Amino acid sequence: MNILIVFCHPEPQSFNGALKEVAKKHFLHKGHQVEVSDLYADGFDPTEHPRHFPIRADGEYFAPLTEQRNSYDQGNLPQQIHEEIEKLERADLVIFQFPLWWHAQPAMLKGWFDRVFVYGGIYSGSVRFDRGRFVGKKALCSVTTGAPEATFSPFGRSGDIIQLMWPIHCSLYYVGFDVLAPQITYGVQGGGLKYVTDENFRKHLENSKDDYANRLAHLAEESPIPFTGWDDWDENGELDVRHPARWRA
Ligand SMILES: Cc1cc2nc3c(=O)[nH]c(=O)nc-3n(C[C@H](O)[C@H](O)[C@H](O)COP(=O)(O)O)c2cc1C
């Protein structure tokens, strides 16, 4: 199996760095191939911008979707984007390792989605969701939070973690991935925001690494998060009124 880890943290020695290493070591030990896209180390540019498109479909007005499609069709995508797409093509499983920053993924990783999931190449009107380019591949988000787990419950002060993860999960499903339940490591406190004693914190980090390694050992047996698909939606893109999930309507 080929595994791609998209690692988004500016500090290799961070806990996110440690979790990236847990996954890398686990899969290498099992004889799999592992590639890492280390976005900060690679100097990934997360901003979609006219400077990435020296040969333009329209030189007067910069429409990102138009230029992405044109660049893909002409075979002149920026080298960095081309390489990321090739890594995705090789991967059976893609792991996104990142900290929760302002209730979402860091801007660097959001920009990776903006630029790497190229319109006209990775998705189009007819190639998305359960007819998406990456159907058959799995994706897993491994996320760390500063705040403790209870604060991410449906009425917690950090917001419901299911809702916070929706934009990234939906985006992964949009391009065809089977999305596995996220690995959330809560309460990775820092910068003076303390919720537990230093000793308990050290234990928490060690236990969290073990939990992740144990989960990875059985990942192949897991079913993905169920999403609705084209056969469930009407022409407006809503769940068909007869769909069983609309039992409340
Ligand atoms: C810019 C920034 C924004 C943050 N926003 C949140 C947040 O919205 N919710 C939260 O629980 N923690 C937040 N944190 C804390 C990080 O999630 C936490 O420091 C990180 O998960 C710890 O992992 P690390 O040691 O690998 O950096 C934020 C940290 C930074 C730097």
Side-chain angles (χ1 to χ4, degrees), residues 35-236:
E35 289 189 275
V36 178
S37 284
D38 186 337
L39 303 189
Y40 280 91
D42 296 347
F44 185 81
D45 179 351
T47 55
E48 190 56 300
H49 194 280
R51 68 174 168 271
H52 300 308
F53 301 93
I55 304 166
R56 293 270 291 272
D58 183 341
E60 300 294 317
Y61 181 97
F62 179 69
L65 294 178
T66 305
E67 298 305 335
Q68 285 189 351
R69 180 167 55 189
N70 181 58
S71 177
Y72 186 89
D73 287 348
Q74 302 301 320
N76 54 25
L77 281 176
Q79 184 59 22
Q80 215 169 22
I81 302 305
H82 179 68
E83 286 170 13
E84 292 302 299
I85 292 172
E86 287 201 318
K87 286 186 229 170
L88 286 167
E89 288 294 350
R90 286 193 287 272
D92 303 294
L93 165 68
V94 183
I95 296 177
F96 296 88
Q97 180 63 58
F98 60 94
L100 196 72
W101 281 4
W102 289 111
H103 318 105
Q105 68 274 57
M108 175 69 100
L109 183 57
K110 174 59 168 59
W112 184 94
F113 275 66
D114 294 346
R115 294 193 61 213
V116 175
F117 291 165
V118 175
Y119 174 62
I122 301 304
Y123 72 95
S124 67
S126 57
V127 181
R128 44 188 181 150
F129 299 110
D130 51 344
R131 295 177 199 151
R133 167 92 171 242
F134 297 132
V135 163
K137 298 178 186 292
K138 292 179 183 175
L140 168 71
C141 293
S142 172
V143 188
T144 65
T145 76
E149 180 166 3
T151 69
F152 291 93
S153 63
F155 296 102
R157 63 172 187 240
S158 296
D160 184 346
I161 193 66
I162 293 176
Q163 289 183 22
L164 298 182
M165 292 303 295
W166 170 254
I168 188 165
H169 281 167
C170 183
S171 303
L172 291 168
Y173 173 56
Y174 193 93
V175 294
F177 281 104
D178 277 338
V179 184
L180 299 173
Q183 180 74 18
I184 314 263
T185 307
Y186 296 99
V188 185
Q189 63 193 24
L193 279 171
K194 286 196 178 184
Y195 302 98
V196 295
T197 63
D198 288 348
E199 194 195 337
N200 283 346
F201 183 52
R202 270 193 297 277
K203 280 187 201 154
H204 172 56
L205 295 188
E206 286 313 307
N207 290 341
S208 299
K209 285 196 279 184
D210 291 345
D211 289 348
Y212 187 34
N214 290 336
R215 181 175 173 201
L216 292 177
H218 300 281
L219 208 62
E221 299 151 33
E222 289 189 18
S223 300
I225 298 170
F227 284 86
T228 56
W230 287 106
D231 292 344
D232 303 307
W233 304 324
D234 65 17
E235 64 280 6
N236 298 320

